[in-house]
Amino acid sequence: MKNYPGLKVLFWILLLGCCWPVITAPIALVAGISFGILIGNPWAATTSTWSRRLLQASVVGLGFGMNLPELLKTGKEAFVYTAVSISFTMLAGYLLGRLFKTPQRTSTLISFGTAICGGSAIAAMAPVIKAEPEETGVALATIFTLNSIALLLFPFVGHLLGMGQRQFGLWAALAIHDTSSVVGAAAAYGGLALAIGTTVKLTRALWIMPAALVATWVTKSEGKVKIPLFIVGFIAAAAVRTLLPQFDQLWHPLNNIAKQSLVVTLFLIGIGLTREVLGRTGVKPLAQGITLWMLVSVSSGIAIMAGWIN
């Protein structure tokens, strides 16, 4: 980024503007991507760290808008088809990696990120398979690029196909990589889509632990597997809201703050998609990532529209 004070002022104006409720998730993402590609990211490391922290805090805050029994029911129903989806995606990712001749560890990270939880899954798996920083960076750039496209594309396609909110929430949760993009796309579609999408996505994200532990055992790695604590926080928030409904006048504002903080998060995520990041992605990993993503999106969409997943 050119070191012009005016550009940094513009960054702060846009960032603070995303705190205004009239600014929606798609607007924030487009603003962030436009700024990142045309100008650059003034504080790449800082925005990356804070977008991750803000996302986790926002997901916890969304729990204050959930009912725990309904949350557990949805999670239980989602368990089987998330397991099937993850197994299918990992197998397809392995075969596509061989087809496109993507470096093995990069291919594994892309497949794992697509199957479970995008950047969080890649971050958990990278030390287990002893991936080099460059391999991790390429995988993250690939997944991140597709996440940004999905956030804009999925609501449009959902409306085009006439998907109901429950259908769209399921589709977003099964076919979009990162939690942030699932939540952003679902929030743009409607309240029920947001509730379903968040719950099913977090059920999917729970597979980070067992999958990474299996990889640790298979590779005989000494890498540590991190517990995604924000999922625990989400469930705890839903439990508090369910057990103490008399404080809804507090839980409702907290939930609204969480939704708006997601808008800010999406701006920060969008601004990270710079020309440098796109340049690091590479043709082979991107080809594998796009093909795998399209395969998962089409197959899960067909299954949902046909009523096989509901």
Side-chain angles (χ1 to χ4, degrees):
M1 175 180 178
K2 296 177 182 179
N3 193 23
Y4 296 155
L7 295 178
K8 292 187 176 181
V9 170
L10 176 59
F11 166 84
W12 280 105
I13 290 173
L14 292 173
L15 180 66
L16 294 173
C18 290
C19 299
W20 191 24
V22 74
I23 302 300
T24 61
I27 293 174
L29 183 68
V30 170
I33 292 175
S34 300
F35 194 100
I37 291 178
L38 296 175
I39 300 173
N41 189 342
W43 303 287
T46 303
T47 55
S48 175
T49 299
W50 279 101
S51 65
R52 184 171 61 252
R53 291 175 180 173
L54 190 58
L55 168 64
Q56 293 173 351
S58 300
V59 168
V60 172
L62 289 176
F64 289 112
M66 305 290 179
N67 179 277
L68 185 59
E70 293 178 2
L71 181 67
L72 295 176
K73 181 176 181 292
T74 303
K76 182 180 179 181
E77 293 171 349
F79 184 83
V80 174
Y81 49 76
T82 52
V84 172
S85 171
I86 289 167
S87 301
F88 168 76
T89 305
M90 288 299 295
L91 176 60
Y94 170 76
L95 295 175
L96 288 171
R98 297 287 298 271
L99 176 65
F100 289 109
K101 295 181 171 56
T102 309
Q104 183 178 354
R105 286 182 295 206
T106 302
S107 174
T108 299
L109 292 177
I110 291 173
S111 301
F112 196 63
T114 303
I116 300 181
C117 193
S120 299
I122 290 172
M125 181 61 79
V128 172
I129 64 172
K130 298 178 181 177
E132 297 294 334
E134 183 63 26
E135 293 170 324
T136 304
V138 168
L140 285 170
T142 302
I143 294 299
F144 181 72
T145 302
L146 297 178
N147 268 329
S148 301
I149 295 171
L151 219 164
L152 295 172
L153 186 62
F154 266 58
F156 170 76
V157 174
H159 286 300
L160 190 66
L161 296 176
M163 282 187 167
Q165 288 203 32
R166 180 177 177 82
Q167 289 177 314
F168 184 82
L170 285 170
W171 188 44
L174 293 175
I176 300 178
H177 312 81
D178 264 339
T179 302
S180 59
S181 295
V182 172
V183 173
Y189 210 80
L192 179 59
L194 175 61
I196 296 296
T198 302
T199 303
V200 175
K201 177 60 182 177
L202 294 183
T203 301
R204 185 176 156 200
L206 288 172
W207 286 93
I208 290 177
M209 288 292 294
L213 288 172
V214 168
T216 301
W217 177 72
V218 170
T219 61
K220 296 181 174 58
S221 171
E222 297 179 358
K224 295 181 179 180
V225 181
K226 295 182 179 180
I227 300 173
L229 294 177
F230 69 96
I231 299 177
V232 178
F234 173 79
I235 296 171
V240 169
R241 188 259 184 183
T242 303
L243 294 172
L244 301 172
Q246 64 270 31
F247 294 109
D248 268 356
Q249 58 187 6
L250 174 61
W251 310 141
H252 186 66
L254 286 175
N255 183 246
N256 285 338
I257 290 171
K259 289 179 180 179
Q260 198 60 39
S261 70
L262 278 170
V263 175
V264 178
T265 302
L266 292 172
F267 172 76
L268 294 175
I269 289 173
I271 205 172
L273 189 62
T274 62
R275 282 170 286 184
E276 290 76 17
V277 170
L278 291 173
R280 286 200 305 267
T281 303
V283 176
K284 291 180 180 178
L286 189 59
Q288 178 186 345
I290 290 174
T291 307
L292 182 59
W293 178 51
M294 291 181 64
L295 184 62
V296 172
S297 299
V298 171
S299 59
S300 59
I302 290 173
I304 290 167
M305 294 295 287
W308 301 335
I309 297 175
N310 50 52

